[in-house]
């Protein structure tokens, strides 16, 4: 076992949510790490994709007091420019304008945190973890992108006896996920699209590495829950569901499977980013669609749940 | 629900709230003949007996438990000896938009001809206002505090188990024994005690007569009844009413009827606050239930039907309406009777039984306004019970509310009650802690905490009226630091508490001397043993409370001033005062700074929470332990009912960014919309309050149904409750809201800032989402019935 990791490692987080109830057992705190190698067309957290902080502007809140403009030393576009759609090209994301904005019209998405700062924040929720059998879930983005920070946090939390989960796409070098497997109590492991070509088309990365990593952490004895973002027209066909069922059932430690129904709640965020939402026209699955999919997976002897925003 | 309960439920829901003049007329005629001829306690006892002998007896179709407060369901009597409605009051009640009461021309005529001429100058309310100092009147008018006893009598009390073990004949024997103990040679109060005891004996006899009249009516109805089942039921009612309340109940139905006669007696004698409550109903009924099941005389379904009949009786009683400003402005039909479920026994064992579960089922099925119910959760309460309670809460009715039985007991022990008495106690009204059957725990009025800070910021002048109300604590622009400001707050606080408590003492004496309650005394320990009335300190414990309102608004205001004026210097005191005075007109950025860039209570923010603790402790120290005139002490509790709305109306803009006239924060809940760290943040902040130093705190939480969906949703809610209680919290209640509320939230987002919705694998505040996102969530809510798990 390696010595304690340095405490001054920082991670880039874009949110910390308490009372998270769909990301593992019990009442949890979800830590959203910024940066992701995938570009899934249905992505619900587009603000988590880029591995650097970003400035958001909520024009409805702006009272045009220009406190932001006065606070900025770097000629960032003023509120009026932002409202007209100008992107903050010259912006260094120092956050001065965000601090100055009393109306909360500006938000810096992605803040740097040390391990201690993060642990201190989640430690406050300990009474709820202990009562409910909950803990901390690292999600994103892709938390494995910041594996050094992630492992340092996991180690610190294990020392403190706080349950951890890592919500991952599984797309990372095998040695990275293997190290994380040593320190997390649970993986929430996404299987999205089971056709090689379609996987690359919809997510931007190949499937092979993801499946290889899944087998590797299974071999290492990790506890895994498979999560399937269930999206009509993309992975709702019998073939793909069977493929998921076969892989899950073939693991040493047969995982639970969670179907996460697709929803369009992220539409707003895309608008905020002034980005196209490629999945905007996709319909959300009905209860019947989900029921069918769940019973198909159950045929492989898998404990199957429908969870997440679509069916809270 | 059985067909009988369905019919009874429909009947109670369709019974229009109506003012009846029957009690007022009977009482007026009695007083005209007898006033001044006997001692005050005997006068009250005889007038009560007169009512029991002459009021209309009503037995409705389908009923198995009988007895009405008024002449028929929905009709409420009035209490002109306490407060005498004017004709205008009655006309307002009849014509106002909300919580209307029907008032017939006959009632108006009776009031005009008989009631008003006699009581106009004799009512206690009149004497109370005449007895108050000009300072008191000014502070009252300004909305610094309210006065509970100006319209209703001290009540705030709850039955314990003694009425299930002993009937009125037993109480009469105890009275005789107490009379024999009187020592006329050495005890100067012996004669007074004798009068009190004799009055109690008359009250005991009166309620036996009242029950007998029900028996006679039931028997005569049985004679004319052709339906064999109903005939048998009426005969059973007859037998029950001939047995209770004269004697201890022998079975489940007699136990319920026993309580109900006591309930009716308490609320016929006087209009005490919160009507009357059965306390640990499940624990009291459990032995009767088990015995009935064992000997085959009762089935589970029959017991449930009887409980349904019993619940409907409460709902038949709209609260007696208020007068004056209160009659025009406020209103609820709820009379605040509240049933405790589960909790613990006198020896500290878990009190959950089969009747506890039955009661949850009844609540769930009946879904009616009254009675209120709460579950008392101790560390010994089984998870299975808590989860069943959560299942009912999830339906979104707002009940049952949830109490921490361990802390409730701790609060009472801290006040000096015995452990056994504390465990047999619980909560009533909204959240108030009391030793059931042994304590008069009198709420005396709400106290407007943010208004005190407003007076500090205006050197004692009420900015709403320009009147000099408080102490001249100095020009706030001259305060050099936060401590100076807070010292001024303490000074103003003490000043108005002195005024309030001085007024209370006068009122306490008026009730003690003029308005004894011999029936309530009869069933409250140790009134018989002491030969002393409930209203003059006869109860074993006599506590007075002042209810702090707006601790959230106060805390956030203090935090904003400390942060911006004294620490960061982001605004001058002058600038702040000008903004407050103008209600932030042309100072929107400053308002947003106060609102969005200051530490806020309810987010597990240590800076803000430390100020809550400071404010709370200051209020506690200022009130705690002051003597009342009944041998007891003052304590605080933290609940608003709806007073945070009224207090908000009389309070101008506050330093937390709140606009003039809008509601203050409610209970100990964070300022509306300012708890932005989710339910755990609220719980962690709220738990920092020293709940055990109060007689009750009120924490409201609002969820949308999705968050509580499926079994894990229930488990999460139960975990949230258990955690709050482990950390020392007193009470929680939940709003689980659906589409309609969300639509209102869209229209008025600022008031709904703390409404949480699940967004994408995590929760977010509804109002932070765009219209289209909100729309989608609304449509999901509507589909919630189709969910898989």
């Amino acid at each position: 076992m390696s010595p304690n990791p340095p405490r001054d490692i920082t991670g880039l987080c874009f949110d910390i949510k308490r009372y998270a109830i769909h990301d593992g057992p019990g009442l949890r705190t979800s830590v959203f790490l910024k940066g992701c190698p995938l570009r899934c067309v249905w992505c619900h957290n587009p603000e988590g994709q880029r591995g650097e902080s970003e400035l958001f502007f909520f024009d409805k809140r702006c009272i045009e007091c220009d406190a932001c403009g006065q606070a900025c030393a770097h000629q960032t576009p003023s509120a009026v420019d932002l409202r007209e759609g100008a992107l903050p090209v010259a912006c260094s994301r120092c956050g001065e304008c965000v601090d100055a904005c009393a109306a909360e019209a500006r938000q810096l998405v992605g803040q740097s945190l040390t391990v201690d700062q993060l642990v201190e924040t989640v430690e406050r929720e300990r009474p709820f973890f202990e009562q409910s059998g909950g803990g901390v879930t690292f999600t994103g983005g892709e938390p494995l992108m910041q594996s050094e920070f992630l492992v340092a946090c996991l180690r610190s939390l294990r020392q403190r006896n706080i349950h951890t989960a890592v919500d991952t796409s599984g797309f990372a070098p095998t040695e990275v996920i293997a190290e994380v497997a040593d320190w997390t109590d649970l993986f929430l492991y996404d299987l999205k699209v089971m056709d090689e070509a379609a996987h690359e088309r919809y997510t931007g990365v190949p499937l092979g590495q993801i499946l290889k990593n899944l087998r590797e952490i299974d071999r290492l004895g990790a506890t895994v829950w498979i999560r399937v973002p269930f999206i009509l027209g993309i992975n709702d066909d019998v073939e793909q569901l069977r493929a998921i069922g076969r892989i899950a059932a073939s693991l040493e430690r047969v995982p639970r499977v969670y179907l996460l129904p697709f929803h369009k709640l992220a539409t707003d965020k895309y608008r905020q980013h002034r980005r196209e939402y490629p999945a905007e026209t996709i319909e959300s699955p009905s209860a019947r669609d989900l029921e069918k999919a769940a019973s198909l997976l159950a045929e492989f002897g898998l404990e199957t749940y429908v969870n997440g925003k679509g069916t809270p | 629900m059985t067909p009988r309960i369905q019919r009874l439920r429909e009947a109670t829901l369709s019974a229009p709230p109506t003012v009846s003049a029957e009690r007022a007329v009977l009482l007026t005629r009695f007083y005209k003949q007898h006033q001044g001829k006997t001692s005050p306690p005997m006068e009250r006892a005889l007038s009560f007996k007169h009512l029991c002998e002459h009021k209309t007896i009503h037995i409705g179709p389908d009923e198995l438990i009988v007895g009405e407060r008024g002449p028929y369901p929905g009709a409420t009597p009035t209490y002109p000896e306490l407060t005498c409605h004017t004709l205008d009051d009655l006309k307002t009640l009849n014509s106002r938009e909300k919580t209307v009461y029907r008032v017939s021309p006959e009632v108006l005529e009776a009031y005009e001809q008989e009631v008003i001429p006699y009581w106009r100058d004799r009512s206690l309310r009149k004497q109370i206002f005449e007895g108050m100092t000009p300072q008191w009147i000014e502070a009252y008018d300004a909305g610094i505090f309210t006065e509970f006893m100006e319209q209703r009598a001290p009540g705030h009390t709850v039955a314990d188990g003694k009425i299930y073990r002993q009937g009125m004949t037993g109480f009469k024997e105890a009275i005789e024994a107490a009379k024999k103990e009187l020592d006329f040679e050495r005890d100067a109060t012996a004669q007074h005690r004798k009068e009190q005891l004799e009055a109690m004996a008359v009250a005991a006899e009166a309620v036996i007569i009242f029950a007998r009249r029900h028996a006679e009516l039931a028997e005569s109805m049985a004679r004319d009844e052709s339906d064999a089942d109903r005939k048998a039921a009426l005969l059973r009612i007859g037998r029950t009413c001939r047995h209770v309340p004269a004697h201890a109940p022998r079975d489940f139905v007699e136990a319920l009827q026993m309580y109900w006669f006591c309930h009716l007696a308490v609320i016929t004698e006087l209009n005490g606050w919160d009507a009357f409550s059965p306390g640990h109903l499940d624990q009291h009924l459990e032995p009767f239930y088990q015995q009935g099941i064992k000997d085959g005389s009762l089935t589970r379904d029959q017991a449930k039907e009887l409980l349904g009949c019993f619940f409907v009786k409460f709902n038949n009683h709209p609260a007696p309406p208020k007068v004056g400003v209160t009659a025009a402005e406020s209103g609820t039909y709820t009379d605040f009777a509240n049933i405790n479920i589960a909790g613990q026994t006198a020896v500290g064992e878990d009190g959950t039984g089969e009747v506890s579960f039955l009661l949850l089922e009844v609540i769930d099925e009946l879904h009616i306004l009254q009675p209120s119910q709460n579950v008392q959760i101790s560390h010994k309460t089984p998870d299975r019970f808590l989860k069943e309670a959560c299942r009912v809460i999830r339906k979104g009715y707002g009940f049952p509310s949830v109490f921490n039985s361990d802390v409730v007991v701790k609060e009472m022990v801290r006040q000096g009650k015995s452990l056994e008495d504390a465990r047999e106690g619980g909560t009533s009204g909204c959240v108030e802690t009391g030793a059931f059957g042994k304590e008069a725990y009198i709420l005396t009025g709400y106290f407007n905490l943010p208004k005190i800070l407003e007076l500090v910021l205006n050197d004692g002048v009420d900015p709403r009226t320009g009147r000099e109300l408080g102490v001249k604590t100095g020009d706030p622009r001259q305060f050099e630091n936060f401590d100076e400001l807070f010292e001024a707050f303490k000074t103003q606080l003490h000043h108005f508490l002195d005024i309030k408590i001085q007024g209370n003492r006068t009122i306490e004496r008026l009730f003690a001397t003029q308005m004894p309650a011999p029936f309530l005394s009869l069933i409250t320990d140790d009134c018989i043993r002491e030969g002393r009335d409930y209203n003059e300190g006869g109860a074993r414990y006599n506590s007075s409370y002042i209810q702090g309102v707006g601790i959230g608004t106060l805390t956030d205001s203090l935090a904003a001033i400390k942060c911006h004026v004294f620490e960061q210097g982001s605004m001058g005191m002058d600038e702040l005062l000008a903004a407050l005075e103008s209600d932030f007109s042309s100072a929107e950025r400053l308002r947003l700074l106060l609102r969005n860039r200051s530490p806020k209570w309810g987010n597990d923010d240590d800076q803000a929470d430390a100020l809550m603790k400071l404010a709370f402790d200051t209020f506690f120290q200022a009130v705690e332990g002051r003597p009342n005139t009944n041998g007891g002490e003052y304590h605080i509790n933290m609940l608003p009912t709806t007073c945070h709305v009224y207090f908000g109306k009389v309070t101008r803009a506050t330093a937390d960014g709140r606009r003039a006239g809008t509601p203050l924060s409610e209970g100990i809940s964070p300022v509306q919309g300012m708890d932005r760290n989710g339910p755990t943040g609220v719980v962690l902040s709220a738990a920092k309050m020293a709940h055990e130093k109060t007689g009750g705190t009120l924490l409201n939480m609002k969820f949308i149904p999705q968050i509580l969906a499926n079994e894990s949703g229930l488990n999460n809610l139960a975990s949230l409750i258990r955690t709050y209680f482990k950390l020392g919290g007193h009470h929680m209640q939940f709003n689980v809201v659906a589409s309609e509320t969300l639509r209102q939230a869209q229209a008025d987002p600022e008031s709904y800032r703390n409404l949480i919705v699940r967004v994408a694998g995590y929760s977010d505040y509804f109002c932070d989402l765009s219209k289209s996102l909100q729309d989608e969530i609304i449509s999901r809510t509507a589909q919630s019935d189709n969910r898989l798990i």
Side-chain angles (χ1 to χ4, degrees):
Chain A
M1 212 173 283
S2 53
N4 281 340
R7 283 297 169 88
D8 53 1
I9 309 172
T10 59
L12 191 65
C13 300
F14 67 94
D15 209 352
I16 295 178
K17 283 286 174 189
R18 304 160 179 209
Y19 205 81
I21 56 178
H22 288 309
D23 294 333
L27 294 177
R28 309 190 69 81
T29 298
S30 288
V31 179
F32 293 77
L33 298 184
K34 202 156 158 33
C36 185
L38 279 66
R39 288 294 178 269
C40 306
V41 295
W42 57 82
C43 180
H44 291 158
N45 289 331
E47 76 276 30
Q49 290 179 352
R50 292 173 60 187
E52 56 190 13
S53 57
E54 293 167 80
L55 186 71
F56 274 23
F57 180 64
F58 299 86
D59 58 353
K60 275 200 302 191
R61 295 185 189 169
C62 179
I63 58 167
E64 295 182 11
C65 64
D66 201 41
C68 50
Q70 288 161 34
C72 183
H74 313 280
Q75 279 98 45
T76 302
S78 73
V80 179
D81 298 334
L82 281 177
R83 187 167 282 179
E84 281 161 5
L87 289 170
V89 196
C91 175
S92 72
R93 295 179 292 279
C94 65
E96 291 289 334
C97 62
V98 176
D99 290 344
C101 179
E104 297 185 324
R106 282 165 183 259
Q107 196 187 347
L108 195 61
V109 176
Q111 312 239 355
S112 194
L113 281 184
T114 66
V115 176
D116 285 347
Q117 282 170 331
L118 182 98
V119 168
E120 200 184 308
T121 303
V122 300
E123 183 65 69
R124 300 184 83 101
E125 302 283 298
R126 178 186 284 279
F128 301 98
F129 302 157
E130 289 181 352
Q131 180 63 45
S132 68
V136 179
T137 298
F138 291 89
T139 178
E142 171 51 65
L144 298 181
M145 290 276 279
Q146 301 186 45
S147 67
E148 204 188 351
F149 176 72
L150 175 66
V151 168
C153 291
L154 291 172
R155 292 180 65 157
S156 180
L157 292 170
R158 178 159 292 176
Q159 267 177 10
R160 291 158 185 269
N161 252 317
I162 292 177
H163 180 273
T164 57
V166 173
D167 177 19
T168 179
S169 68
F171 188 76
T174 303
E175 60 274 19
V176 166
I177 199 166
E179 195 194 2
V180 170
D182 280 343
W183 297 107
T184 189
D185 298 311
L186 172 68
F187 279 102
L188 307 175
Y189 204 99
D190 284 8
L191 289 181
K192 304 175 200 285
V193 182
M194 299 316 289
D195 175 86
E196 281 278 356
H199 191 278
E200 199 149 353
R201 191 163 71 246
Y202 287 125
T203 72
V205 304
L207 176 63
Q209 180 70 11
I210 291 170
L211 295 180
K212 179 181 164 215
N213 283 344
L214 176 60
R215 297 212 180 275
E216 178 61 12
I217 58 171
D218 180 51
R219 194 185 64 77
L220 292 170
T223 306
V224 175
W225 292 3
I226 299 289
R227 306 220 290 184
V228 182
F230 186 72
I231 310 155
L232 298 183
I234 292 185
N235 64 0
D236 62 325
D237 55 294
V238 175
E239 270 323 298
Q240 296 210 56
L241 289 167
R242 287 218 172 111
I244 290 169
R246 271 195 302 275
I247 290 165
S250 73
L251 296 178
E252 289 284 312
R253 300 158 62 88
V254 177
R256 296 179 177 190
V257 178
Y258 286 84
L259 291 172
L260 312 183
F262 170 76
H263 56 75
K264 283 185 277 192
L265 302 180
T267 310
D268 248 23
K269 293 186 192 173
Y270 282 89
R271 220 160 275 162
Q272 214 69 57
H273 283 237
R274 302 188 159 75
R275 281 173 55 174
E276 285 287 300
Y277 188 20
E280 199 168 350
T281 53
I282 299 177
E283 283 308 307
S284 302
S286 69
R288 199 170 146 61
D289 295 329
L290 289 157
E291 209 170 334
K292 267 164 62 183
S295 58
L296 215 144
L297 288 164
E299 281 173 21
F300 291 86
L302 299 164
E303 228 181 288
T304 306
Y305 301 87
V306 177
N307 201 343
K309 185 52 223 148
T311 51
Chain B
M1 230 188 305
T2 65
R4 179 197 307 279
I5 298 300
Q6 273 173 25
R7 291 192 296 268
L8 285 172
R9 181 175 183 275
E10 268 164 42
T12 192
L13 292 176
S14 58
T18 305
V19 171
S20 158
E22 183 182 63
R23 183 186 181 281
V25 170
L26 283 171
L27 194 84
T28 307
R29 290 181 187 167
F30 174 87
Y31 267 81
K32 274 184 180 167
Q33 272 188 14
H34 297 98
Q35 209 225 339
K37 291 184 182 158
T38 57
S39 67
M42 186 54 83
E43 191 173 274
R44 290 302 304 163
L46 289 171
S47 66
F48 173 61
K49 184 160 172 259
H50 184 73
L51 294 170
C52 288
E53 285 167 341
H54 298 286
K55 82 178 280 295
T56 302
I57 302 293
H58 174 89
I59 297 177
D62 289 310
E63 285 198 313
L64 299 177
I65 308 293
V66 298
E68 283 297 325
R69 183 180 208 171
Y72 46 85
T76 176
T78 53
Y79 301 78
E81 71 272 44
L82 293 173
T83 178
C84 185
H85 291 79
T86 64
L87 291 178
D88 279 347
D89 291 330
L90 294 171
K91 286 173 189 162
T92 302
L93 289 170
N94 194 40
S95 61
R96 66 188 180 188
E97 207 175 308
K98 285 177 181 163
T99 55
V100 68
Y101 286 78
R102 287 189 188 176
V103 182
S104 68
E106 292 74 29
V107 169
L108 288 174
E109 194 190 324
Y111 256 77
E112 189 169 17
Q113 301 296 321
E114 291 196 64
V115 181
I116 294 172
Y118 187 81
W119 291 108
R120 188 174 41 214
D121 295 324
R122 287 186 176 90
S123 79
L124 208 65
R125 181 167 197 256
K126 175 115 165 97
Q127 297 180 56
I128 285 171
F129 281 110
E130 281 170 3
M132 295 299 108
T133 61
Q135 278 180 313
W136 187 98
I137 299 281
E138 261 200 328
Y140 173 87
D141 285 343
I144 291 172
F145 50 72
T146 66
E147 175 48 59
F148 258 44
M149 248 49 76
E150 50 102 354
Q151 301 207 17
R152 297 186 76 166
H156 302 103
T157 198
V158 176
D160 63 1
K162 72 171 85 67
I163 58 171
Y164 305 93
R165 300 186 294 268
Q166 175 174 265
M168 292 300 138
T169 49
F171 288 111
K172 279 166 53 178
E173 284 162 21
I175 290 169
E176 284 313 306
K179 274 166 73 180
K180 288 207 182 83
E181 294 291 311
L182 291 173
D183 184 347
F184 287 88
E185 222 174 282
R186 288 189 181 77
D187 178 3
T189 65
Q191 181 57 32
H192 178 68
R193 288 172 194 242
K194 181 166 170 278
E195 284 165 0
Q196 295 285 13
L197 287 167
E198 284 171 348
M200 291 181 216
V202 169
E205 187 55 34
V207 71
I208 296 174
I209 294 168
F210 186 57
R212 192 167 65 221
R213 293 180 63 215
H214 284 82
E216 285 161 2
L217 177 61
E219 287 155 3
S220 93
M221 287 168 75
R223 277 192 292 277
D224 302 333
E225 180 61 59
S226 53
D227 179 87
D229 285 349
R230 185 60 187 157
K231 193 184 195 77
L234 286 164
L235 289 172
R236 174 67 229 245
I237 291 169
R239 285 199 302 282
T240 299
C241 296
R242 288 197 182 276
H243 188 77
V244 295
H247 309 286
R250 296 164 296 189
D251 61 17
F252 195 80
V253 67
E254 287 184 359
L256 286 170
Q257 188 67 59
M258 176 73 182
Y259 171 77
W260 192 245
F261 277 130
C262 291
H263 184 96
L264 289 174
V266 171
I267 63 175
T268 298
E269 178 175 65
L270 272 176
N271 182 26
W273 268 100
D274 300 343
F276 193 52
S277 296
H280 292 288
L281 184 65
D282 52 349
Q283 292 189 36
H284 300 318
L285 293 178
E286 190 73 20
F288 296 104
Y289 175 79
Q290 293 299 347
Q291 178 208 313
I293 296 290
K294 204 171 139 195
D295 66 23
S297 61
L298 184 74
T299 66
R300 193 178 191 278
D301 287 345
Q302 284 170 339
K304 195 168 153 187
E305 183 172 63
L306 285 165
L307 288 171
C309 292
F310 182 71
F311 267 53
V312 165
K313 298 305 296 183
F314 288 88
N315 201 62
N316 281 349
H317 295 180
K322 312 265 195 329
V323 305
V325 177
T326 333
E329 283 188 354
S330 90
T332 170
Y333 293 130
T334 300
D335 211 13
F336 299 108
N338 201 335
I339 293 175
N340 287 231
I341 310 174
Q344 46 196 307
T345 68
V347 294
E349 287 169 356
D350 173 41
T352 315
E354 192 54 27
V355 180
S356 316
F357 287 93
L358 271 175
L359 283 169
L360 287 180
E361 289 173 29
V362 171
I363 292 164
D364 194 15
E365 288 178 15
L366 247 61
H367 189 190
I368 51 181
L369 187 67
Q370 302 194 80
S372 304
Q373 340 79 24
N374 65 79
V375 291
Q376 303 276 319
I377 305 299
S378 83
H379 65 289
K380 291 185 178 170
T381 306
D383 285 338
R384 184 170 78 94
F385 177 78
L386 176 57
K387 210 168 153 185
E388 283 310 306
C390 288
R391 212 182 287 282
V392 181
I393 289 168
R394 179 167 69 182
K395 297 280 182 74
Y397 316 148
F399 48 64
S401 59
V402 191
F403 287 88
N404 184 351
S405 171
D406 297 316
V407 163
V408 165
V409 169
K410 213 164 139 187
E411 290 160 15
M412 284 190 265
V413 170
R414 190 197 68 82
Q415 294 173 349
K417 298 178 176 87
S418 82
L419 187 56
E420 291 70 26
D421 289 352
R423 284 171 176 154
E424 283 187 319
T427 54
S428 65
C430 296
V431 296
E432 301 91 284
T433 297
F436 296 166
K438 301 163 193 76
E439 182 177 15
Y441 46 114
I442 311 302
L443 273 63
T444 69
Y446 297 110
F447 197 87
N448 187 344
L449 293 168
K451 186 89 187 164
I452 299 297
L453 182 60
E454 182 174 67
L455 291 171
V456 170
L457 295 178
N458 290 279
D459 197 10
V461 174
D462 182 355
R464 194 174 63 97
T465 58
R467 298 180 77 96
E468 214 167 281
L469 271 188
V471 186
K472 291 200 76 67
T473 41
D475 181 349
R477 294 167 192 84
Q478 306 302 318
F479 293 147
E480 295 205 347
N481 51 46
F482 180 77
D483 293 347
E484 282 184 25
L485 174 100
F486 200 75
E487 273 310 308
F489 176 80
K490 271 189 195 169
T491 305
Q492 300 284 5
L493 179 69
H494 278 264
H495 175 72
F496 288 104
L497 283 169
D498 290 346
I499 293 173
K500 169 69 178 151
I501 289 174
Q502 193 50 48
N504 285 355
R505 288 181 178 142
T506 304
I507 297 169
E508 282 162 17
R509 287 298 87 203
L510 280 171
F511 274 98
T513 53
Q514 296 194 25
M515 213 50 79
F519 183 83
L520 182 56
S521 305
L522 195 63
I523 56 170
T524 306
D525 296 330
D526 301 308
C527 294
I528 294 178
R529 204 176 71 197
E530 297 289 323
R532 201 195 274 197
D533 188 82
Y534 182 88
N535 281 340
E536 61 168 359
R540 187 172 301 167
Y541 309 107
N542 293 279
S543 316
S544 300
Y545 282 95
I546 294 177
Q547 305 100 260
V549 175
I551 186 86
T553 304
L554 174 65
T555 298
D556 287 2
S557 299
L558 289 170
I561 296 173
K562 187 165 191 255
C563 163
H564 290 291
V565 178
F566 292 113
E567 286 172 3
Q568 296 182 2
S570 37
M571 63 185 76
M573 182 63 91
D574 214 27
E575 205 183 343
L576 172 67
L577 295 178
L580 295 181
E581 201 191 329
S582 71
D583 195 16
F584 304 112
S585 70
S586 63
E588 182 61 6
R589 176 158 191 274
L590 184 141
R591 190 183 85 87
L592 291 170
L593 268 179
L594 295 168
R595 197 171 159 83
N596 294 333
R597 287 285 186 266
S598 311
K600 296 288 172 181
W601 149 249
N603 297 284
D604 190 27
D605 175 326
D606 290 334
Q607 269 181 296
D609 296 352
L611 287 170
M612 178 283 293
K613 287 201 269 189
L614 177 68
F616 170 86
D617 213 52
T618 303
F619 181 51
F620 170 76
Q621 298 288 352
V623 174
E624 177 69 13
R626 294 201 196 201
N628 64 27
T629 68
N630 284 332
E633 289 182 348
Y634 275 85
H635 309 293
I636 60 165
N637 48 26
M638 306 298 282
L639 68 115
T641 314
T642 57
C643 206
H644 59 296
V645 178
Y646 163 64
F647 279 169
K649 277 187 191 161
V650 297
T651 306
R652 303 270 307 153
T654 44
D656 62 337
R658 175 190 146 278
R659 294 186 192 281
T662 60
L664 305 180
S665 64
E666 155 279 322
I668 63 161
S669 311
V671 167
Q672 294 81 348
M674 296 320 296
D675 45 337
R676 295 176 173 186
N677 263 341
T680 61
V682 175
V683 159
L684 291 171
S685 278
K688 291 177 195 167
M689 184 176 276
H691 296 260
E692 72 280 2
K693 289 180 174 174
T694 72
T697 60
L698 188 147
L699 179 64
N700 244 316
M701 280 213 166
K702 198 187 270 177
F703 286 95
I704 70 159
Q706 286 96 324
I707 292 188
L708 306 179
N710 73 40
E711 288 303 296
S712 72
L714 287 182
N715 288 334
N716 290 329
L717 181 62
S719 292
L720 190 73
I721 293 166
R722 288 273 194 203
T723 307
Y724 184 49
F725 287 180
K726 267 189 191 164
L727 297 172
H730 172 89
H731 153 278
M732 285 176 119
Q733 65 188 39
F734 301 91
N735 277 309
V736 184
V737 295
S739 314
E740 189 45 41
T741 315
L742 297 177
R743 284 190 198 98
Q744 288 166 12
Q746 285 183 315
D748 178 20
E750 187 124 338
S751 307
Y752 288 86
R753 276 301 296 248
N754 57 352
L755 182 61
I756 293 173
V757 294
R758 293 294 291 171
V759 182
Y762 65 91
S763 306
D764 211 337
Y765 287 100
F766 183 75
C767 297
D768 283 351
L769 311 173
S770 77
K771 174 81 166 52
S772 55
L773 182 45
Q774 291 173 344
D775 284 345
E776 194 191 346
I777 290 172
I778 289 170
S779 72
R780 274 166 198 275
T781 308
Q783 292 160 13
S784 61
D785 288 337
N786 301 327
R787 292 190 200 296
L788 275 179
I789 33 178

